């Protein structure tokens, strides 16, 4: 590998990371692309693994050919090293630099290979996971995040159920419903929490009739047509407010919501279903950005400038960790970030810069129309599980707050146990903060002003034996 | 069967032919095909729960499907805390419910 | 519009950590009108970033041990008192008198440990020497290399955040007022330069006396009030495993633990303290480094902790670590807390500098402070903890002995 070239490390091989890696290589850098998954593509281009190559993968994807071009270009470029199954588990800031600690091997295995990288420039493209607000019964088997249904349909060709209800908020529900139809499931309905009023404000009229974000509009319009062909009702201003069943989901309660997302009394109806897929938006995967010290916006995304540079010198960010704008935005931001990280000329990616501007408009519309409204708390009951790991209920959280008088997330976590389990509050952290009315930056760390529940120095669990066998000096910087 | 894998011959995506494998789940054989995750094999065979929670004894399986919720944790070949939705199944894998109450011979829980 | 806090109190306590909470409870129950101020939230700083070991095992004969012996007895009673007072729904402080086991892996280590235990026994500590076989009966999963151990039945643990919240709740019931997100910025001075309260970001609080219980930030708070104290931060990192079926029954330490606590070196020191919690996790603590308030992660430190833990319990190598966190112990150069008045600034009191033992020492600290302030009888001699004790006096001239 050529020495002396600027070494750009890209974390995440979704649309943003793939575009960043290619742009950085084209701008003349030596590039290492890391992803924890054992294949490229991220969430958007999740596909069957090499062990089960599909003849017609493209029917499930938009811009499948773009994925082929990007991954092909990267694999063919000798200046690019792609490392799959590469979990970045922590990021350190030795004086004047960045160090990435990586374990390469099967997920959660003992004895994975150690890789330590100290790049000249870092592009974070770690994406997001979907956020599901709790509701009574959401812990029953058969309730999935919408992303899970999508991932299982695309990556496993598994249908999560036969009669499936899709609910939550945002345009993402449409591709989820589509993917479910492609598994042969009956989609009973798609229930969008945002009411017609909010949708009109965010989208002018209807989600798929967008001005500006042409690509995304076309994609969404395609999904809408598909739902119509399958006679799947799309119902704004509604939510799944409870799931029922003995040991697994057998039915759900659907209710109309008011503008604030509070259920309207008397509108509840039960619908039989054997699976429910629910997602109310996305939570960016901020661990590495927080560890690097990147400034976050009040809405909890990584702050970037026009060149996708974060507040930390040497660190760029792209894709869903900078805002929820979909794959178009991710691709455009990735191209800009990769170019800038390599020290290239942004004039070369003018097209991407323009595409990004359009996509940002789209992201703002999503938030305006589908952003979580506080009334959802009204569908909770005292026995509703809030923290799935520790099984802490809403009633217990309220009780603890009342008894201790504390509204601070860290204290309430430690006294109610909510958020202390293996997922480390990835599922319930934001929910807890909203319930407590704690400022997003709460959960103060050592009394300082810290990024709250998004601070997780260990990005994923690591086997103690693997920690113990780390080399005692800062090690290899290859590849 | 609620969850299931789409039969190759009916799948519009036309996945490659099955290369069957068998994993052992709490002592029972479950078959899948090479390339599936452990969660994929289990869901594909109609099993949607494989963990019992520590506190409430409640059943759990996949929730997020992408490695962030840790609901799908299983013990694989004696190693606990493996995310079933991420780990590719290998023929002969022995999978166990890691949350199940301790069986005879193991140490008592620390109580008080 | 920010709500102001202007009030008058007998005592204002700066800091709502475990130490401030214990002081507030002791004073309020003795009849004082107490206001506790914290710039963040209660129980969210050092007291939420450490562990809850209540130890005699790591303390050699001397004033810290005397305070610890009293304090550990107090914790055992407090666990019941607080549960009775606050009711079954209040989060448990998780007091567990599970005992500690110090293990060593070399003959040299065993000699050192024996000598230490002998001296502790003379000072009234229960320190039972056990053979390697007996140690394995207590902890079946110990490493084969363990050659001997000392068992300390008095060692116990609490959950520090729940404990601090419980002490504060109890203090409130006795009339104390707790105000959070109020930062103390300066002094209110009266006749003759006496401290008569504090200025804060939300107004003024006048008081007969001010107690600085600001943990590792006590030096800064003291300075704002016009005083000095030599508290410095000493960083510690902790590893937390995922919940599991418990295989660690006591608190188990490798025999280096006391050596590290007695040292003042700034360089990194680790020695494993391994314990299980009621949540099913195993806590592995903790390192000691003097690096100021640097909160950057260091995998080298984590790796060292991991190595120590695996050396004691090999099975832990296969367990998952899901979290690490760090905190800053309020460290005094002579390893003793400061509890008592500041002769240089009338009206100012200290309850700080407990380093790695603030949770264990909190109840006795509160009692001692209240006794001093209200002129009551104290359970221990207060003089060793005075801020003007000889070991804290600056060495003004060459050759001046440290008493
Ligand atoms: C489950 C799921 C399914 C989705 N499906 C669709 C869809 O069908 N259509 C649609 O329009 N949008 C979908 N989305 C939204 C989607 O996130 C975006 O459209 C797009 O994928 C964002 O691209 P990205 O490059 O920012 O992030 P992602 O595509 O999320 O890529 C991030 C990558 O970073 C890797 N990564 C993260 N952290 C680390 C680490 N510490 N170490 C190593 N690697 C790491 C991840 O493995 C992942 O591959 C989905 C989202 C989710 C969560
Ligand atoms: C890793 C680690 C492990 C430990 N393990 C143990 C153990 O096992 N057993 C044990 O007994 N101890 C242990 N300790 C030590 C113990 O945590 C501390 O001694 C104890 O928490 C100190 O409590 P405190 O109330 O003095 O300080 P803190 O909890 O830090 O409280 C001080 C408070 O003062 C507030 N404050 C600061 N400045 C101002 C201002 N200007 N205005 C208003 N408020 C202000 C802060 O916000 C803070 O809330 C450990 C510590 C660490 C770091
Ligand atoms: S299903 Fe969420 S981690 Fe596997």
């Amino acid at each position: 590998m050529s020495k002396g070239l600027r070494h750009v490390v890209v974390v995440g091989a979704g649309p943003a990371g793939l575009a960043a890696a290619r742009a950085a290589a084209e701008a003349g850098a030596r590039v290492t692309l890391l992803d924890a998954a054992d294949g490229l593509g991220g969430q958007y281009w999740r596909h069957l693994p090499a062990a089960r190559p599909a003849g017609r993968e493209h029917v499930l994807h938009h811009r499948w050919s773009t994925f082929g071009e990007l991954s092909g270009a990267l694999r063919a470029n000798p200046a690019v090293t792609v490392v799959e199954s590469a979990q970045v588990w922590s990021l350190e800031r030795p004086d004047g630099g960045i160090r990435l600690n990586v374990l390469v091997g099967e997920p959660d295995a003992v004895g994975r290979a150690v890789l330590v990288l100290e790049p000249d420039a870092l592009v974070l493209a770690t994406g997001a996971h979907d956020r599901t607000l709790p509701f009574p019964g959401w812990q029953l088997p058969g309730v999935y995040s919408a992303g899970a249904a999508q991932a299982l349909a695309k990556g496993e060709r598994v249908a999560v159920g036969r009669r499936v209800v899709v609910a939550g908020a945002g345009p993402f529900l449409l591709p989820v419903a589509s993917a479910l139809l492609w598994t042969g499931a009956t989609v009973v309905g798609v229930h969008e929490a945002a009411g017609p009023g909010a949708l009109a404000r965010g989208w002018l009229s209807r989600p798929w009739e967008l001005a500006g974000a042409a690509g995304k509009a076309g994609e969404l319009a395609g999904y809408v047509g598909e739902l119509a062909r399958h006679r799947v009702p799309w119902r704004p201003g509604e939510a799944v407010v409870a799931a029922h069943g003995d040991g697994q989901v057998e039915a759900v309660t659907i209710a109309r919501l008011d503008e604030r997302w509070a259920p309207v009394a008397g509108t509840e109806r039960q619908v039989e279903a054997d699976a429910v897929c629910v997602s109310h938006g996305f939570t960016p995967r901020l661990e590495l950005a927080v560890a690097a010290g990147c400034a976050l916006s009040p809405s909890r995304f990584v702050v970037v400038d026009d060149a996708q540079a974060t507040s930390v010198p040497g660190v760029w960010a792209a894709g869903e960790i900078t805002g929820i704008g979909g794959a178009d935005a991710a691709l455009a931001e990735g191209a800009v970030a990769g170019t800038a990280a390599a020290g290239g000329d942004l004039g070369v990616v003018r097209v991407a810069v323009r595409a990004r501007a359009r996509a940002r408009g789209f992201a703002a519309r999503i938030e305006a129309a589908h952003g979580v409204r506080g009334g959802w708390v009204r569908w909770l009951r005292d026995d509703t599980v809030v923290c799935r790991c520790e099984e802490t209920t809403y009633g217990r959280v309220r009780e603890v707050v009342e008894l201790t008088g504390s509204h601070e997330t860290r204290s309430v976590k430690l006294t109610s146990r909510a958020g202390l389990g293996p997922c480390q509050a990835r599922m319930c952290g934001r929910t807890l903060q909203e319930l407590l009315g704690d400022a997003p930056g709460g959960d103060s760390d050592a009394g300082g002003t810290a990024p709250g529940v998004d601070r997780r120095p260990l990005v994923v669990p690591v086997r103690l034996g693997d920690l113990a066998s780390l080399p005692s000096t800062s090690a290899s910087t290859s590849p | 069967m609620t969850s299931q894998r789409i039969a190759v011959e009916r799948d519009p995506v036309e996945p490659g032919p099955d290369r069957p494998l068998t994993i052992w789940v709490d002592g029972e054989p479950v078959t899948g095909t090479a390339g599936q995750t452990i969660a994929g094999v289990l869901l594909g065979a109609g099993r949607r729960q494989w963990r019992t929670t520590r506190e409430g004894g409640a059943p759990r399986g996949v929730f997020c499907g992408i490695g962030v919720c840790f609901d799908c944790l299983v013990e694989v070949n004696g190693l606990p805390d493996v995310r079933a939705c991420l780990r590719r199944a290998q023929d002969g894998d022995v999978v166990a419910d890691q949350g199940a109450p301790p069986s005879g011979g193991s140490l008592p829980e620390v109580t008080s | 519009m920010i709500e102001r806090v202007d009030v008058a109190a007998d005592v204002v306590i700066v800091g709502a950590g475990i130490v401030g909470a214990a002081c507030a409870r002791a004073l309020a129950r003795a009849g004082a009108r107490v206001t506790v101020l914290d710039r963040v939230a209660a129980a969210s700083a050092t007291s939420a970033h450490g562990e809850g070991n209540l130890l005699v095992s790591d303390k050699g004969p001397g004033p810290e041990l005397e305070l610890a012996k009293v304090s550990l007895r107090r914790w055992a009673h407090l666990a019941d008192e607080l549960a009775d007072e606050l009711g079954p729904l209040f989060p448990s402080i998780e007091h567990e008198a599970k005992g500690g086991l110090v293990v060593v892996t070399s003959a040299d280590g065993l000699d050192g440990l024996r000598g230490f235990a002998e001296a502790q026994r003379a000072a009234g500590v229960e320190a039972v020497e056990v053979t390697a076989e007996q140690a394995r009966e207590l902890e079946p999963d110990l490493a084969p290399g363990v050659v001997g151990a000392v068992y300390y039945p008095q060692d116990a643990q609490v959950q520090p955040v729940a404990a601090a919240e419980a002490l504060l709740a109890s203090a409130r019931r006795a009339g104390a007022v707790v105000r959070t997100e109020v930062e103390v910025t300066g002094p209110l001075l009266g006749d003759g330069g006496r401290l008569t309260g504090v200025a804060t970001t939300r107004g003024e609080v006048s008081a007969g006396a001010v107690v600085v219980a600001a943990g590792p930030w006590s030096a800064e708070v003291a300075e704002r009030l016009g005083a000095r104290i030599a508290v410095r931060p000493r960083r510690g990192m902790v590893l937390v495993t995922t919940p599991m079926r418990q295989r660690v029954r006591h608190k188990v330490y490798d025999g280096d633990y006391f050596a590290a606590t007695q040292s003042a070196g700034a360089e990194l020191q680790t020695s494993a303290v391994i314990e299980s919690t009621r949540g099913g996790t195993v806590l592995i603590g903790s390192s000691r480094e003097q690096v100021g308030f640097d909160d950057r992660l260091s995998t080298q430190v984590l790796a060292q902790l991991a190595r120590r833990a695996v050396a004691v319990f090999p099975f832990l190598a296969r367990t998952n670590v899901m979290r690490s966190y760090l905190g800053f112990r309020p460290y005094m150069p002579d390893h003793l807390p400061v509890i008592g008045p500041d002769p240089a600034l009338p009206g100012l009191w200290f309850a700080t500098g407990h380093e790695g033992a603030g949770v264990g020492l909190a109840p006795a600290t509160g009692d001692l402070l209240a006794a001093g302030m209200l002129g009551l009888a104290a359970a221990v001699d207060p003089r060793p903890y005075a801020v003007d004790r000889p070991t804290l006096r600056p060495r003004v001239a060459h050759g001046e002995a440290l008493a």
Side-chain angles (χ1 to χ4, degrees):
Chain A
M1 197 154 288
S2 37
K3 276 267 169 223
L5 285 183
R6 197 174 161 86
H7 184 199
V8 177
V9 172
V10 179
V11 183
L18 290 169
R22 182 170 71 175
E26 281 174 358
R30 178 165 75 90
V31 176
T32 304
L33 174 62
L34 306 170
D35 200 295
D38 57 2
L40 304 180
Q43 307 305 352
Y44 188 69
W45 286 314
R46 185 178 282 269
H47 55 280
L48 282 169
R52 288 171 80 191
R56 304 181 67 234
E57 185 70 58
H58 63 272
V59 302
L60 293 183
H61 296 272
H62 285 265
R63 289 182 218 70
W64 184 243
S65 59
T66 307
F67 173 62
E69 270 162 45
L70 279 169
S71 50
L74 292 170
R75 302 235 191 240
N77 190 332
V80 178
T81 308
V82 176
V83 193
E84 290 152 309
S85 302
Q87 176 70 56
V88 182
W89 64 270
S90 68
L91 181 152
E92 289 177 271
R93 286 182 289 154
D95 293 330
I98 295 275
R99 181 184 302 141
L100 294 174
N101 297 298
V102 190
L103 285 169
V104 184
E106 282 192 301
D108 299 325
V110 187
R112 283 184 275 177
V114 171
L115 177 66
V116 179
L117 297 172
E118 293 185 352
D120 300 317
L122 173 66
V123 180
L124 295 174
T126 48
H129 59 80
D130 46 346
R131 173 175 180 202
T132 303
L133 299 171
F135 53 88
W138 75 310
Q139 75 280 15
L140 286 171
V143 179
Y144 301 90
S145 78
Q150 178 78 328
L152 288 162
K154 285 182 172 181
E156 297 278 348
R157 300 304 291 142
V158 161
V160 294
R162 289 171 182 279
R163 276 178 61 80
V164 189
V165 170
V166 176
F172 176 51
L173 300 181
L174 299 175
V176 170
S178 159
L180 285 164
L181 291 172
W182 279 97
T183 67
T186 300
V187 177
V188 186
V190 178
H191 306 275
E192 162 67 56
L199 292 174
R201 276 194 301 282
W203 297 114
L204 302 176
S205 59
R206 303 208 281 168
W208 46 92
E209 291 169 6
L210 310 179
K216 203 72 192 171
E219 182 178 327
L220 293 177
Y223 292 131
V224 169
E226 198 177 344
L227 296 195
R229 277 198 302 286
H230 287 87
R231 298 184 201 295
V232 177
W234 179 81
R235 307 184 67 110
E238 289 191 349
V240 166
V241 296
H244 318 278
D246 183 11
Q248 59 176 320
V249 170
E250 289 156 14
V252 296
T253 299
I254 292 165
R256 276 225 327 270
L257 301 184
D258 66 17
E259 289 259 297
R260 303 267 314 132
W261 289 22
V264 177
T267 64
E268 300 87 356
R269 60 181 196 281
Q270 274 217 12
V271 173
E272 269 182 45
D274 59 12
V276 198
C277 305
V278 188
S279 151
H280 299 94
F282 290 92
T283 306
R285 293 196 186 191
L286 294 175
E287 290 85 358
L288 293 175
V290 165
C294 299
L296 304 181
S297 67
S299 50
R300 315 301 285 160
F301 290 102
V302 178
V303 175
V304 289
D305 68 8
D306 281 346
Q308 300 294 133
T310 69
S311 63
V312 176
V315 182
W316 283 261
E320 306 279 69
I321 59 169
T322 66
I324 301 305
D328 294 326
L331 283 166
E333 290 167 2
V336 173
T339 306
D345 174 8
L346 286 183
V348 177
V349 285
R350 237 178 288 124
V351 182
V353 173
R354 274 201 302 276
R356 182 183 59 180
R358 273 200 307 277
R360 281 185 180 162
F362 180 75
R365 284 156 180 267
I366 295 181
E367 181 52 33
H370 304 277
V372 171
R373 307 287 195 273
W376 69 270
V377 174
R378 304 272 295 281
W379 69 55
L380 297 178
R381 297 191 316 234
D382 272 352
D383 64 355
T384 305
V385 168
V386 168
C387 166
R388 303 176 62 91
C389 295
E390 294 293 314
E391 302 177 272
T392 310
T393 61
Y394 177 52
R396 182 59 182 158
V397 170
R398 289 207 325 203
E399 208 164 78
V400 162
V401 166
E402 195 182 304
L403 289 166
T404 63
S406 177
H407 289 265
E408 199 255 349
T409 311
R410 186 168 183 102
S411 170
V412 174
K413 275 163 74 178
L414 285 158
T415 48
S416 74
R417 300 208 52 79
L420 290 184
C423 94
Q424 289 292 291
R426 284 177 175 83
M427 293 295 112
C428 69
R430 306 251 159 147
T431 294
L432 260 184
Q433 283 186 322
E434 280 173 29
L435 293 178
L436 298 174
D438 192 13
D443 193 1
S444 60
D445 218 83
T449 52
V453 294
D454 295 312
R455 187 187 184 98
R456 295 182 193 94
L458 297 189
V459 176
V460 288
V462 177
R463 300 287 167 184
L464 196 72
D466 283 0
L467 260 187
S469 57
L470 285 182
S472 40
T473 52
S474 70
S476 74
T477 45
S478 64
Chain B
M1 206 186 271
T2 48
S3 62
Q4 59 181 315
R5 183 160 65 93
I6 301 155
V8 171
E9 54 287 0
R10 286 193 287 108
D11 193 339
V13 178
E14 297 178 6
D18 277 2
R19 290 192 288 133
L21 55 74
T22 301
I23 64 175
W24 295 84
V25 183
D26 296 324
E28 289 173 33
V30 179
T31 56
T33 182
Q36 284 187 291
T37 59
I38 287 175
V41 171
L42 293 170
L43 287 168
R47 293 183 177 234
R48 39 163 60 172
Q49 62 182 68
W50 48 82
R51 185 171 70 89
T52 314
T53 59
R54 233 168 2 100
E55 288 290 323
R60 294 289 171 84
V62 158
F63 179 66
C64 78
I66 59 166
V68 288
C69 77
F70 293 76
D71 250 7
C72 66
L73 293 179
V74 277
E75 190 179 293
V76 179
N77 303 326
L79 185 68
D81 290 336
V82 175
R83 284 168 287 174
C85 69
L86 297 184
R87 174 65 71 86
R88 301 279 174 206
Q90 303 291 335
D91 195 38
D93 275 346
V94 176
V95 172
D97 180 345
Q98 65 173 52
S103 49
S106 53
L107 289 168
E109 297 258 344
V110 172
T111 50
S112 67
Chain C
M1 175 70 201
I2 294 173
E3 197 190 340
R4 290 176 62 90
V5 291
D6 310 60
V7 283
D10 294 333
V11 183
V12 59
I13 298 176
V14 187
I18 189 94
V19 173
C23 293
R25 180 176 191 267
L27 286 164
R29 285 167 71 97
R33 284 180 311 150
V34 176
T35 293
V36 186
L37 305 177
D38 200 295
R39 66 174 174 195
V40 209
S44 67
T46 319
S47 302
H49 292 81
E51 298 165 89
N53 298 305
L54 315 178
L55 306 186
V56 290
S57 57
D58 65 335
K59 295 173 183 69
E64 194 189 14
L65 178 59
E66 292 313 306
L67 202 60
K69 286 192 313 196
V70 174
S71 214
L72 263 56
R73 279 199 299 277
R74 288 285 290 121
W75 267 125
H77 292 296
L78 270 174
D80 295 335
E81 273 174 41
L82 291 170
D84 286 349
E85 185 189 351
L86 303 172
L89 296 180
F90 199 94
S92 167
I93 71 167
E94 300 180 19
H95 182 267
E96 285 185 58
K98 53 162 63 161
L101 191 68
V102 181
V103 302
V104 286
T105 55
S106 70
D108 280 0
L110 191 53
D111 285 348
L113 178 61
R114 275 189 183 134
F116 189 67
E118 173 97 46
Q120 287 176 309
R121 269 194 298 274
V125 172
E126 290 175 55
V128 187
E129 200 181 317
V130 298
T131 64
E133 292 71 58
Q134 288 168 321
R136 259 179 278 284
E137 270 165 40
L138 292 168
E139 288 293 341
D141 289 304
L142 278 181
V146 168
V147 295
V150 173
Y151 177 56
Y152 291 90
Q154 290 160 308
D155 281 4
Q157 72 190 38
V158 292
Q159 208 267 54
V161 171
E165 294 285 14
L167 290 168
L168 284 172
S170 171
R172 269 193 229 101
R173 286 170 166 244
V177 175
V178 183
R179 304 302 305 262
T180 56
E181 290 174 52
V182 181
E183 178 163 350
V184 171
T185 52
L188 301 184
L189 295 173
D191 293 343
R194 190 190 160 80
L195 189 62
T196 56
V198 292
T200 79
T201 45
R202 302 228 200 148
E204 296 181 345
V205 183
S206 59
V210 177
V211 179
V212 174
W217 300 276
S218 293
E220 180 189 83
V221 174
E223 205 175 301
R224 289 181 183 187
L225 299 178
R228 281 169 156 262
I229 188 169
V231 181
R232 287 203 301 264
R234 196 177 196 194
R235 186 170 79 175
M237 294 193 187
V238 178
L239 297 172
V240 188
T241 71
T242 46
M244 64 180 94
R245 244 166 276 161
Q246 286 306 348
R247 293 170 70 175
V248 178
R249 299 166 171 194
H250 305 84
K251 318 172 82 57
V252 182
Y253 334 100
D254 75 29
D256 294 339
Y257 184 67
F258 65 86
T261 54
Q262 297 309 309
S263 150
E267 74 283 8
L268 167 67
Q269 297 160 5
T270 51
S271 56
V273 183
I274 305 152
E275 58 181 323
S276 46
T277 69
R278 255 187 231 182
T281 59
V282 172
L283 295 190
I284 300 163
S286 53
S287 55
R288 291 165 188 271
E289 287 170 282
Q290 288 190 36
V291 290
F293 285 106
D294 184 346
D295 68 352
R296 290 177 298 177
L297 173 85
S298 161
T299 54
Q300 285 305 310
V301 177
L302 302 188
Q304 254 192 56
L305 281 173
R307 279 193 283 274
R308 298 268 184 178
V310 171
V312 175
F313 283 113
F315 85 88
L316 286 175
R318 289 160 59 82
T319 62
N320 249 343
V321 181
M322 64 174 179
R323 170 165 76 240
S324 83
Y325 59 84
L326 59 86
F328 299 100
R329 300 180 188 84
Y331 161 84
M332 295 299 299
D334 63 353
H335 298 281
L336 268 183
V338 175
I339 307 162
D342 185 348
L345 180 56
L348 178 64
W349 294 67
F350 289 111
T352 188
H354 297 76
E355 200 186 340
V359 182
L361 301 179
T365 299
D367 291 348
L368 191 58
L369 183 88
M373 287 186 124
L374 307 175
L376 311 171
V380 292
D381 178 359
R383 282 171 301 183
Y385 318 103
V387 71
D388 56 348
R389 62 195 181 226
T391 45
L392 290 183
R393 274 184 212 140
R395 280 193 256 187
V396 283
H398 179 74
E400 185 181 310
L402 289 173

